[in-house]
Amino acid sequence: PSTLQEAAGMNDGRYFGTAVPAHLLNDSANMTIVNREFNMVTAENEMKIDALQPNQGQYSFGTADRIVNWARTNGKGVRGHTLAWHSQQPQWMRNMSGQQLRRAMLDHVTTVATHYRGQIHSWDVVNEAFADGSSGARRDSNLQRTGNDWIEAAFRAARAADPNAILCYNDYNIDDWNHAKTRAVYDMVRDFKARGVPIDCVGLQAHFNSGNPVPNNYHTTIENFAALGVDVQITELDIEGSGQSQAEQYKGVTQACLAVARCTGISVWGVRDNDSWRASGTPLLFDRNGNKKQAYHGVMEAL
Ligand code: XIL
């Protein structure tokens, strides 16, 4: 195999994806790499709540549709990101609370998932709902303050609107099995499965850096989530660093996913280093000129 998508596919049909921001759709150097190497696409910002519903009740699908249409035209799957989140909310939603906010959130989930029904491989239904640190608590947010059941309400609405999409809970810092946040998400997923709340997948964002390295027990974390009866997807992978050390970490993450049958795909959060949201770093698989880095070859060695 000579590309990430081809090599991933040879491992029981896994996918290899990337984030695409709308402003790079016209960058032919970038899109040539996307088309060649990847078979799953996530809109980097364009399907977030502020982008899709800038004013209450006025949906703005045009930019997101351009990304989805590019993906579908070129035979790529689409990860929908994200239906409900405390961040990147439009101002009108940030000001809301209580039952009014709950209704607005559910309206957003239903309208967006209906708009894209049948076109989305996996939805990040809820993003980043747990707190950092050792409490294992939910993150405080306007959505959380509408009641602890807001997450399951969002999942039920998403399932009703798009019954065939894989529905994911997505978060960061849930990679280390010995981390309270990881266990808290695990407990929620276990509870959802026990009570029939429609959840199909856990998304591990996987943003790593020197202060937050790839954990030695990553395989265990992935295995334990999968054992609950959900898929695991690595959804936003990037790893700060360079050279052989970065390559080995990328290889390790890829191996940890491949070791678990239900770890069905890996997406990196961008293509070239200079387009990364980590603007000053070099966390991706391609350098600023679009050349393959050692990190790329590390992934390919694992695949
Ligand atoms: C980031 C985008 O990459 C940036 O362009 C934007 O300014 C902020 O959001 N977790 C997520 C993603 O779920 O949506 C975030 O994307 C990165 C962290």
Side-chain angles (χ1 to χ4, degrees), residues 113-114 116-120 123 157-167:
T114 300
Y116 290 111
R117 173 164 46 212
Q119 303 182 40
I120 303 295
W123 264 116
R159 178 71 97 225
D162 188 356
N164 294 323
I166 295 168
L167 303 184

Side-chain angles (χ1 to χ4, degrees), residues 44-45 48 81 85 88 127-128 205 207 236 269 277:
E44 186 168 352
N45 289 295
K48 294 173 181 177
H81 177 78
W85 191 20
Q88 292 183 264
N127 199 31
E128 300 182 350
Q205 289 187 10
H207 296 293
E236 306 180 13
W269 203 238
W277 71 308

Side-chain angles (χ1 to χ4, degrees), residues 229-247:
V230 290
D231 288 347
V232 177
Q233 301 178 12
I234 294 178
T235 56
E236 306 180 13
L237 177 61
D238 51 20
I239 307 175
E240 264 305 344
S242 61
Q244 194 56 33
S245 131
Q246 183 183 45

Side-chain angles (χ1 to χ4, degrees), residues 72-114:
R72 287 165 55 77
T73 300
N74 290 283
K76 317 300 185 188
V78 177
R79 297 197 76 266
H81 177 78
T82 173
L83 294 170
W85 191 20
H86 70 279
S87 184
Q88 292 183 264
Q89 292 183 1
Q91 189 61 48
W92 64 264
M93 186 179 274
R94 281 189 258 160
N95 293 334
M96 266 186 186
S97 63
Q99 280 309 301
Q100 192 192 28
L101 173 61
R102 175 68 71 102
R103 277 194 300 274
M105 180 274 288
L106 292 174
D107 173 76
H108 185 85
V109 171
T110 299
T111 303
V112 173
T114 300

Side-chain angles (χ1 to χ4, degrees), residues 13-302:
R14 286 178 174 81
Y15 69 80
F16 213 101
T18 188
V20 173
H23 72 91
L24 291 180
L25 280 176
N26 298 321
D27 182 320
S28 63
N30 181 70
M31 296 312 290
T32 297
I33 300 172
V34 175
N35 206 9
R36 184 186 73 220
E37 297 287 341
F38 301 97
N39 59 353
M40 188 69 69
V41 163
T42 309
E44 186 168 352
N45 289 295
E46 294 75 2
M47 295 175 88
K48 294 173 181 177
I49 310 171
D50 58 354
L52 292 185
Q53 198 182 171
N55 300 298
Q56 189 175 15
Q58 290 181 5
Y59 286 83
S60 173
F61 289 112
T63 307
D65 286 354
R66 283 172 52 221
I67 296 176
V68 172
N69 290 338
W70 181 89
R72 287 165 55 77
T73 300
N74 290 283
K76 317 300 185 188
V78 177
R79 297 197 76 266
H81 177 78
T82 173
L83 294 170
W85 191 20
H86 70 279
S87 184
Q88 292 183 264
Q89 292 183 1
Q91 189 61 48
W92 64 264
M93 186 179 274
R94 281 189 258 160
N95 293 334
M96 266 186 186
S97 63
Q99 280 309 301
Q100 192 192 28
L101 173 61
R102 175 68 71 102
R103 277 194 300 274
M105 180 274 288
L106 292 174
D107 173 76
H108 185 85
V109 171
T110 299
T111 303
V112 173
T114 300
H115 178 81
Y116 290 111
R117 173 164 46 212
Q119 303 182 40
I120 303 295
H121 175 278
S122 301
W123 264 116
D124 292 332
V125 178
V126 171
N127 199 31
E128 300 182 350
F130 281 80
D132 294 313
S134 58
S135 72
R138 293 284 184 86
R139 174 193 297 276
D140 180 52
S141 71
N142 61 346
L143 291 167
Q144 180 61 29
R145 290 192 291 271
T146 72
N148 206 50
D149 62 342
W150 73 276
I151 299 179
E152 60 197 81
F155 273 87
R156 292 188 199 280
R159 178 71 97 225
D162 188 356
N164 294 323
I166 295 168
L167 303 184
C168 303
Y169 174 79
N170 192 54
D171 214 330
Y172 64 91
N173 281 355
I174 57 168
D175 309 286
D176 188 330
W177 181 242
N178 294 322
H179 192 331
K181 188 172 168 183
T182 310
R183 300 298 181 99
V185 172
Y186 177 87
D187 288 345
M188 179 188 73
V189 175
R190 186 173 52 183
D191 171 59
F192 279 12
K193 294 301 280 185
R195 290 191 295 111
V197 177
I199 185 168
D200 308 307
C201 151
V202 172
L204 308 177
Q205 289 187 10
H207 296 293
F208 296 113
N209 53 57
S210 56
N212 177 41
V214 180
N216 294 326
N217 57 27
Y218 209 16
H219 169 209
T220 303
T221 303
I222 295 170
E223 188 147 86
N224 286 341
F225 277 121
L228 293 176
V230 290
D231 288 347
V232 177
Q233 301 178 12
I234 294 178
T235 56
E236 306 180 13
L237 177 61
D238 51 20
I239 307 175
E240 264 305 344
S242 61
Q244 194 56 33
S245 131
Q246 183 183 45
E248 268 158 27
Q249 293 176 76
Y250 263 106
K251 185 174 178 178
V253 171
T254 307
Q255 286 171 331
C257 178
L258 293 184
V260 179
R262 287 200 76 160
C263 184
T264 55
I266 299 174
S267 295
V268 286
W269 203 238
V271 176
R272 298 172 300 197
D273 281 337
N274 55 312
D275 295 316
S276 168
W277 71 308
R278 303 296 204 201
S280 60
T282 56
L284 295 173
L285 300 179
F286 294 84
D287 71 16
R288 59 183 305 118
N289 298 314
N291 295 314
K292 297 169 183 173
K293 295 166 55 183
Q294 280 179 267
Y296 175 97
H297 298 295
V299 172
M300 287 296 272
E301 278 170 31

